[in-house]
Amino acid sequence: MKIIIIGNGIAANSAATVIREHDRESNITMLSDENQFFYARPRLTEFISGKTAFEKILIHDEAWYKKNNIELLKGLSVSSIDTEHQVLYGSFGSLSYDELLIASGASPSFPPFYRPQLEKVYALRTKEQADHIIATAQHSESAAIIGGGLLGIDTAFALVERGMDTTIIEFYGWLLPKQLDQDSAAILRDLLSQKRLKFLFGKQTASISNEKNGLTLAFADGTSILADMAIISAGVRSNIAFLKGTKVATGRGITIDHQMRTNVPHIYAAGDCSEFEGKMYGVWSAAKEQGEIAGLAMIGQDVDYQGSVIGARIKAAGIDVASIGDFSMTPSTTVEVFHEKDIFKKYFREGNKLKGAILIGDTSDYFKLQKEIAG
Ligand SMILES: Cc1cc2nc3c(=O)[nH]c(=O)nc-3n(C[C@H](O)[C@H](O)[C@H](O)COP(=O)(O)OP(=O)(O)OC[C@H]3O[C@@H](n4cnc5c(N)ncnc54)[C@H](O)[C@@H]3O)c2cc1C
């Protein structure tokens, strides 16, 4: 059997790993438009901080692909698929497949004010983008990070660690609006402020312009700030352009079922490019889980994906933060809060059932709570 996997991230590598555990015979080819071996994408911020060499965040080296008899085609891009004849086209020419996994991930999405010709304005998703950020940071003193989400905070702290004066600009009134409620976010903001991070809340960026003395970021309320460089961290969009003209069903991502199958025979999808029951997880753990399920399904194993528990665990400025499950308030939701010094824990229950939790300062219970919420 000839298996092709588009991608070389966590979803792709999890799939390849489980396939090889059960099947030594099939040909596996992985294709990536990045020029790297598999690395820990979330750790790109450590690389930017200057504290960790890129080699330290590599997960699979060349020997891994060799040992597992997997052909990795790096720096090559898929541009279209003929789903009827089961052929991929791209900068490599053409490749035919028996089973195809699309694990093409996502790319930064840019707000309407962004113009590609802007200088010293970046987004972070790949090693190549990290290299550009580092090159500019070496000659800069201040930075503005547009977006106070998971990635924005992490990137901002990496620049603070480089000694830069860094301000996070957030549209909402609090940090991590997807992961934290306002009370928890206020605790985190205070802890991060002690670590030299600065914030501007409730600001909608209207424009960025290159001026003689740096960048000017103008906001919808008429105010503005100056910075030497800016990083846009305003969400992602799935990499699915190469599916244009095919019958593969997509919404915001590729629509998948409980076996990670798309609606087109022999094509599966997993990770940040996929959408399961309307959900786009956009996190490492879900991409890993989906990759594993996809790999098993592709070799005919009986699997049944029921969705991943929505959760995120980050370390920002040395502060552990995790949010798991659902923390929406209904009339019957009960909340329990524990707060002592730098440790904050908030649990959300519906009856006796734990449905969500927010942890700041100590996330050691993350996996235990994740299981309890899922169970
Ligand atoms: C800086 C940073 C920090 C993060 N921090 C966290 C965190 O703390 N916690 C967390 O849970 N998540 C975090 N994330 C998100 C997490 O990294 C992603 O959810 C995860 O990497 C998704 O994996 P994936 O395999 O689906 O896609 P990706 O890792 O995006 O991999 C996609 C692959 O597809 C390839 N590809 C795409 N299009 C094509 C094409 N046309 N042709 C050929 N190849 C193609 C790419 O080269 C790449 O190899 C972070 C992300 C970033 C960028």
Side-chain angles (χ1 to χ4, degrees):
M1 183 159 68
K2 200 167 172 189
I3 296 173
I4 294 190
I5 301 176
I6 303 175
N8 184 29
I10 178 66
N13 279 276
S14 306
T17 302
V18 297
I19 293 171
R20 264 297 169 258
E21 275 166 16
H22 295 84
D23 170 358
R24 299 296 308 173
E25 302 304 320
S26 291
N27 285 322
I28 304 177
T29 300
M30 297 175 73
L31 260 164
S32 169
D33 58 7
E34 284 187 78
N35 230 331
Q36 312 296 335
F37 294 110
F38 173 41
Y39 61 92
R41 203 172 291 288
R43 295 185 65 194
L44 278 176
T45 48
E46 287 176 41
F47 171 54
I48 287 177
S49 76
K51 292 197 163 159
T52 306
F54 181 70
E55 290 64 38
K56 295 269 181 218
I57 70 169
L58 279 176
I59 298 175
H60 290 161
D61 58 9
E62 190 169 9
W64 184 88
Y65 297 90
K66 228 180 221 165
K67 191 179 99 197
N68 286 287
N69 189 21
I70 292 170
E71 182 184 29
L72 173 65
L73 302 178
K74 290 189 292 173
L76 295 170
S77 182
V78 177
S79 52
S80 65
I81 307 180
D82 177 343
T83 57
E84 201 178 322
H85 300 99
Q86 303 189 190
V87 182
L88 298 180
Y89 294 96
S91 53
F92 45 86
S94 63
L95 281 171
S96 64
Y97 63 86
D98 296 317
E99 302 293 328
L100 173 67
L101 172 63
I102 305 174
S104 53
S107 297
S109 64
F110 291 96
F113 63 78
Y114 176 76
R115 300 280 170 273
Q117 61 270 28
L118 279 168
E119 287 171 20
K120 301 187 179 179
V121 180
Y122 305 97
L124 175 61
R125 181 79 189 186
T126 63
K127 154 78 162 58
E128 199 183 349
Q129 288 162 338
D131 286 337
H132 291 309
I133 290 169
I134 291 169
T136 300
Q138 279 165 346
H139 310 284
S140 302
E141 286 176 4
S142 63
I145 310 295
I146 299 169
L150 200 93
L151 175 58
I153 295 175
D154 240 8
T155 311
F157 186 60
L159 296 181
V160 166
E161 283 189 302
R162 293 189 71 93
M164 291 175 69
D165 180 0
T166 308
T167 304
I168 292 180
I169 295 150
E170 171 55 49
F171 172 75
Y172 288 96
W174 68 97
L175 286 170
L176 290 174
K178 283 190 194 151
Q179 287 85 12
L180 300 183
D181 63 359
Q182 292 198 44
D183 295 348
S184 323
I187 305 272
L188 178 65
R189 181 203 57 214
D190 292 347
L191 292 171
L192 290 172
S193 299
Q194 292 166 21
K195 308 257 179 179
R196 292 179 287 126
L197 273 158
K198 294 178 181 170
F199 307 97
L200 281 175
F201 290 106
K203 294 282 182 189
Q204 184 179 7
T205 309
S207 70
I208 304 185
S209 49
N210 287 112
E211 315 277 351
K212 263 193 203 145
N213 50 352
L215 293 168
T216 298
L217 287 87
F219 306 115
D221 62 6
T223 60
S224 63
I225 62 162
L226 280 174
D228 292 335
M229 64 186 290
I231 300 176
I232 296 175
S233 178
V236 294
R237 56 179 171 74
S238 45
N239 294 325
I240 53 175
F242 53 82
L243 290 175
K244 210 173 162 202
T246 70
K247 290 194 174 127
V248 177
T250 59
R252 287 175 298 149
I254 303 166
T255 311
I256 47 171
D257 68 8
H258 294 261
Q259 286 76 38
M260 308 287 116
R261 288 181 302 223
T262 68
N263 61 317
V264 171
H266 309 293
I267 303 185
Y268 298 73
D272 282 12
C273 65
S274 72
E275 181 173 341
F276 176 74
E277 294 185 340
K279 290 190 215 77
M280 309 273 297
Y281 292 101
V283 293
W284 183 268
S285 53
K288 180 173 189 290
E289 205 177 333
Q290 291 184 351
E292 287 169 355
I293 297 276
L296 293 173
M298 290 170 83
I299 52 169
Q301 302 258 336
D302 190 15
V303 284
D304 186 19
Y305 177 69
Q306 290 294 336
S308 300
V309 174
I310 300 177
R313 190 186 194 193
I314 60 164
K315 208 173 186 80
I319 302 163
D320 291 307
V321 181
S323 92
I324 319 156
D326 170 18
F327 44 89
S328 60
M329 294 297 293
T330 71
S332 55
T333 306
T334 54
V335 174
E336 189 191 339
V337 175
F338 168 88
H339 189 186
E340 199 179 289
K341 291 186 183 156
D342 291 351
I343 295 180
F344 176 87
K345 298 181 179 184
K346 194 167 181 177
Y347 304 96
F348 299 79
R349 289 194 172 80
E350 214 62 67
N352 282 335
K353 169 100 178 80
L354 184 70
K355 68 169 185 175
I358 293 172
L359 312 171
I360 298 175
D362 173 14
T363 58
S364 53
D365 285 347
Y366 180 77
F367 292 110
K368 198 179 100 195
L369 293 171
Q370 216 181 25
K371 255 192 200 153
E372 188 178 338
I373 290 167

